[in-house]
Amino acid sequence: MVFRSWLARLRSSSKPSFYGSCSLRNSIFKKQSRALLLSTPTEAASSDHQRNVSRILSSWAYSLLPMALAASAGAVFIQSQNKPSLCDASNIDHRIGDKDSTGYEVKGSYRKVPQELIDELKATCQDNITMDYEERYFHGTPQHSFHKAVNVPDVVVYPRSSEEVSKIVKSCNDHKVPIVPYGGATSIEGHTLSPNGGVCIDMTQMNHVKALNIEDMDVVVEPGIGWMELNEYLEPYGLFFPLDPGWAWSYHWWDVCYSLLWIFSCEVVLANGEIVKTASRARKSAAGYDLTRLLIGSEGTLGVITEVTLRLQKIPQYSVVAMCNFPTIKDAADVAIATMLSGIQVSRVELLDEVQVKAINLANGKTLPEVPTLMFEFVGTEAYSLEQTLIVQKIASEHNGSDFVFAEDPEAKKELWKIRKEALWACFAMEPNYEAMITDVCVPLSRLAELISVSKQEIDASPLVCTVIAHAGDGNFHTLVLFDPKQEEQRTEAERLNHFIVHAALSMDGTCTGEHGVGTGKVKYLEEELGMEALRTMKKIKGALDPNNIMNPGKLIPPHVCF
């Protein structure tokens, strides 16, 4: 595959030039276009082949709504509710999604897409449709996801409006064909897998700013617009969208737990093709059910998001980026907690363990002390930012902190923060041919140091290379477990570590997923975390809004849940 060879070369690069190539990405994004109508899978293979890399780069670097959109790709695979076998445990595949499952390859019930549907989709999408295998394979294989599927989508469509999405979804519903909405291509928990084939709806062509309300500090956008592109658009107005992806291209910083805080309302196409607006632009509302949070948090199992209204902030007058080293990861976590308890309004607090720092050194020729490290960002006036920096420096010194440095110059700040942004690629530079199991748990802030310490003991004892990165200000942390995909025992060990960390978090009144969502990977933990009654309630909502169960089979709701 062209894409896979390109990714291998990118992973093995030891320089951070990928992150500095914004101008290249902008050029690629602006030139992005689609003309993919195919009468047979082979007719446009060469033209699709040439377009793959440019589209992949732009969708990675610019997908703003990957959990609201890329993860707008979720649905549970259940049969029609009027069939008694729905609650027959003997018919359930316990290997995937069930609470006792250990597998990673999602199996489905494949049914060929009828020609009548293909004809309807061509009539709706005109040139914006493909059945090319390489294109379908890419859309059915999310990058950096531990989870795989036995099938890929049969068709990929590229709608340009809510009305087109509505027609596509209605046609699929009429033919009872599965749908997989698709955005950023990096759904770590397998949200964009197509275990049953079907139709993949790629939202990247819907990338416009529809309205900017400067006095209200909000903006209405389509789902395909990127975080960086949006902020470039907003900068002349003194506004910005404050969610900063931790990895320059990665989707998961723009996902459910953060996006819910910054979305006023959304426009959603339901499974029957109806277009629903969930709320007004008012910053507060008590009018009815909170459909916005329900649909954004559903990972696409209830509808396809086609528009969102985002809350904006004024560009900070001043900011300071600081970094400090610690002898143990517990010391670093304790400082993060103490900082939050002090009442200081920290914009960002990121924790990197010594293995992650070593990876950054190896990948980029740096000489950072290979010890647990905390990074902070303080925003406000110049006097306020500097005052907060000095207070945190004092807190750090009381917890064995050392080498406290901070930067005020824009270029110096960018250079410091780039250490965090390059974390994932630095890990792959350590093991260019490996894959990653990226864990994601969150606990109450007071338990974060304990959880990281317990998890660190386990992963340090593992033969696999593991790094820790934490959003220490909100109790969320990730472990990147690198493994050789050709060695089944390494894959099993990676899954075992993830299982250990999840159960440690659940035992501390935490969650199995703070950011990445459920997809297929975290389905098996939901009963323990939420309880069967909550899951039955979710399944009833799903059944009411999507009675034909067309929305991306195999996601979010465990297969053993019955009502």
Side-chain angles (χ1 to χ4, degrees), residues 333-346 395 445-446 472-473:
D334 284 340
V335 167
I337 294 169
T339 299
M340 302 304 294
L341 292 176
S342 72
I344 294 175
Q345 300 300 308
V346 185
I395 294 173
L445 191 58
S446 63

Side-chain angles (χ1 to χ4, degrees), residues 356-375:
Q356 182 62 66
V357 177
K358 179 179 180 180
I360 291 169
N361 283 343
L362 289 173
N364 302 301
K366 297 184 182 295
T367 58
L368 300 169
E370 294 176 359
V371 294
T373 300
L374 272 182
M375 302 187 69

